[in-house]
Amino acid sequence: MRNQFIYGLLFFTSFSFSQNNDLKKGIKTNAIEKVFKYTNPITRDSILSMRDYMINKVGDKWYAVGTSNPVWTGPNPGVKLLISDDMINWKFHSYLIDATKLPEDCPYNGRFWAPEIHFIQNKYWLTINSGKVTKEDPKGMNTHSIWLFSADKITGPYKLVNGPLTNQYNNDATLFEDDNGDTYLYCSGNGLFQAKIDLKSGKLTTPIEKFLDKKQPGYPEWMIGGIEGPFVIKKEGTYFMFFSTWTRGYEVGLLKSKSPLGPWELVSQEPIFGTRKKGYRPELAVSGGYDHLKFTDTQDPYQETGHNALFIGPDGNLWTSCHYFMYDKRPYPYSQTFQPWEKFPQLGIEPVYYANGRFYINPPTWTEQVVPIK
C-alpha cells in the first residue's frame, strides 16, 4: 500500500464480468457518475516489478502476471501472480509455477517469459515461454518455446496440457477465441507467427506460420530492430493485433485483418503507443544495423512502455497494461536521483479508445490522470 501517494478509485462500484465476453463486447452495466484517479507507474516496488504485464478482471478483483526478474541474466523464479482490489494497490498472491518446486529434469524450468492467462470455454489457460536449463545452456534458450497449462480458477492450480507447442524457438505466446469457438495461437520469435490450436489437447491443428518479419518489405523502419508481444482482439468484424518493437525504445504497433489468420496489414504507419529515446540500447542499434535511424525523443521519462495486453478497467471499458521502465538518462526537470523501484520495470495502464474503425491509446502518462466513470 502506498499511502504517501494520492491515488485510487473514488466511490468505486464493482463490475462483475466474464473476462472473455467483456474483451469481445466491452459491456458496461450499472454505471453511474464516478471518478478513477491513477498515476503511472502504478506499482512502485522492486519486489512487485515485472515486465510484460497482463491483467485479468475476475469478479471484483484484478490479477496480473508477467516476466519476473531477473530477466536477462538467467532463470527466473517462475510465474508470479499479483492481485488488486482497486487497480492501484497491488500485492503478491502466489506463484502459479514455482521454479524451486519443479523436478530437476523439468523441460520448462528456464526463464518463464511473458506468461498470459486467457479465460476460454469456462477454463483458464496459461501460456508460458520457457526451456530447459542445463550446464551447457544455463538460460534454457536452446529449447525455449511455448507450454500450455489449464485450471478451473485463475489462481490455479494449473496442470500441464502440452508442450512445447512448436519445435522451434518461439516466445510471447497469446491465445484468442473467435465467435464460433475456434481458438488461435500467436507468438513471436524473430518475427510474428500464428496457428490454429485445439486447447483441450494443446495441439496445433494448422502448421505454425511466420506471417510478419521485422524487415518485411514495404514495412516501416521502426520495426527492424525486432517485433514481439502479439495480442489479438476482435471488434466489429475486424481482427486487431497489437505488437511491440524495441527498435527506438519500446513502441506498440497495430495490425488488422478480416480473418484470424490474416493477411494482416498495418492500421497506422506509425506506432500507436510507446516511448522513443535515441540513447536507448545504442549497442543493439549498432549491432542490428539500425543506428542510422533519425527520430525525436518522446517527452516522457521512460525508456520502455510496451508489450501490452488489454483488460477490463475500473470503468468497465477496455484498458491496456504493459511495463513502464524509467529512462536512466532522463533529462531535467525529472529527478536525476533514482529511487530503488525506478531501476526496475513497473506496471503502467492507460485507457483504450475505439473510433473510426480502429483502436487508439493516448501517449504514456506520468502525472495524475482522472477518468470519469459514467
Side-chain angles (χ1 to χ4, degrees):
M1 307 286 285
R2 303 189 306 280
N3 294 330
Q4 68 269 38
F5 298 100
I6 302 174
Y7 293 128
L9 181 62
L10 305 182
F11 310 110
F12 179 74
T13 297
S14 298
F15 295 89
S16 179
F17 292 110
S18 158
Q19 174 77 5
N20 192 53
N21 288 339
D22 282 357
L23 285 179
K24 291 179 178 177
K25 301 176 183 177
I27 297 174
K28 295 189 297 181
T29 61
N30 299 327
I32 58 177
E33 202 66 36
K34 308 175 196 305
V35 174
F36 175 71
K37 293 183 179 182
Y38 71 100
T39 302
N40 283 315
I42 300 297
T43 56
R44 302 191 173 205
D45 187 328
S46 56
I47 296 176
L48 299 182
S49 164
M50 296 191 293
R51 295 176 64 91
D52 317 322
Y53 287 90
M54 182 192 185
I55 297 173
N56 279 268
K57 187 174 189 293
V58 181
D60 59 355
K61 300 181 186 300
W62 287 268
Y63 298 85
V65 291
T67 305
S68 297
N69 298 306
V71 177
W72 312 116
T73 56
N76 60 29
V79 179
K80 186 187 301 182
L81 182 69
L82 308 183
I83 186 171
S84 176
D85 294 324
D86 57 9
M87 268 304 302
I88 297 299
N89 298 289
W90 290 83
K91 61 183 180 181
F92 171 78
H93 181 278
S94 60
Y95 276 106
L96 301 181
I97 295 179
D98 186 341
T100 65
K101 297 180 179 179
L102 296 176
E104 186 175 347
D105 62 348
C106 178
Y108 54 84
N109 63 352
R111 290 185 168 188
F112 305 101
W113 279 350
E116 290 195 4
I117 299 174
H118 294 265
F119 185 65
I120 299 174
Q121 299 167 4
N122 295 315
K123 292 184 76 71
Y124 292 93
W125 303 90
L126 168 68
T127 55
I128 67 165
N129 310 277
S130 191
K132 182 175 176 55
V133 172
T134 63
K135 291 182 180 179
E136 297 74 26
D137 185 17
K139 299 179 182 179
M141 294 304 292
N142 292 337
T143 54
H144 188 95
S145 194
I146 305 163
W147 301 78
L148 179 68
F149 299 76
S150 69
D152 293 326
K153 299 189 298 183
I154 192 168
T155 53
Y158 284 86
K159 296 182 179 180
L160 178 64
V161 177
N162 192 28
L165 301 192
T166 69
N167 59 4
Q168 61 192 27
Y169 173 88
N170 283 120
N171 194 36
D172 295 350
T174 190
L175 299 172
F176 170 74
E177 181 188 29
D178 207 348
D179 299 330
N180 61 3
D182 290 345
T183 50
Y184 298 85
L185 171 81
Y186 305 92
C187 57
S188 62
N190 194 29
L192 297 180
F193 293 76
Q194 61 188 9
K196 200 170 182 179
I197 184 172
D198 174 64
L199 289 179
K200 290 183 179 180
S201 66
K203 294 183 178 180
L204 303 185
T205 58
T206 63
I208 190 75
E209 170 200 14
K210 183 177 182 180
F211 67 90
L212 186 62
D213 188 78
K214 62 183 180 180
K215 296 182 179 179
Q216 194 85 1
Y219 275 66
E221 287 190 310
W222 52 263
M223 295 170 51
I224 65 176
I227 51 177
E228 60 183 10
F231 183 90
V232 174
I233 186 171
K234 186 178 183 180
K235 183 75 172 179
E236 295 182 349
T238 298
Y239 301 84
F240 293 93
M241 180 182 293
F242 297 82
F243 69 96
S244 290
T245 173
W246 65 82
T247 306
R248 305 185 297 188
Y250 215 33
E251 300 176 282
V252 175
L254 184 63
L255 302 166
K256 68 177 181 179
S257 173
K258 288 299 182 182
S259 163
L261 293 177
W264 298 91
E265 61 180 275
L266 278 173
V267 170
S268 168
Q269 288 298 308
E270 292 295 326
I272 69 162
F273 180 76
T275 186
R276 299 186 300 277
K277 297 294 186 294
K278 289 189 288 291
Y280 171 85
R281 293 186 181 180
E283 70 284 357
L284 286 184
V286 172
S287 63
Y290 53 90
D291 55 322
H292 63 283
L293 296 183
K294 304 295 182 183
F295 57 88
T296 302
D297 286 5
T298 51
Q299 296 302 305
D300 56 72
Y302 307 117
Q303 63 181 353
E304 292 188 20
T305 54
H307 195 130
N308 76 314
L310 303 190
F311 68 98
I312 299 302
D315 58 355
N317 292 319
L318 289 175
W319 286 55
T320 184
S321 65
C322 61
H323 65 265
Y324 283 35
F325 198 177
M326 290 293 182
Y327 185 38
D328 59 3
K329 304 179 183 66
R330 62 186 180 192
Y332 179 86
Y334 308 113
S335 170
Q336 302 304 290
T337 302
F338 277 68
Q339 300 295 321
W341 65 266
E342 293 183 292
K343 299 177 182 179
F344 297 89
Q346 303 289 345
L347 171 63
I349 61 174
E350 307 288 359
V352 175
Y353 305 99
Y354 183 84
N356 305 316
R358 56 160 291 185
F359 287 100
Y360 296 85
I361 308 173
N362 289 334
T365 61
W366 62 96
T367 59
E368 185 180 68
Q369 306 295 304
V370 180
V371 176
I373 299 177
K374 298 180 179 179

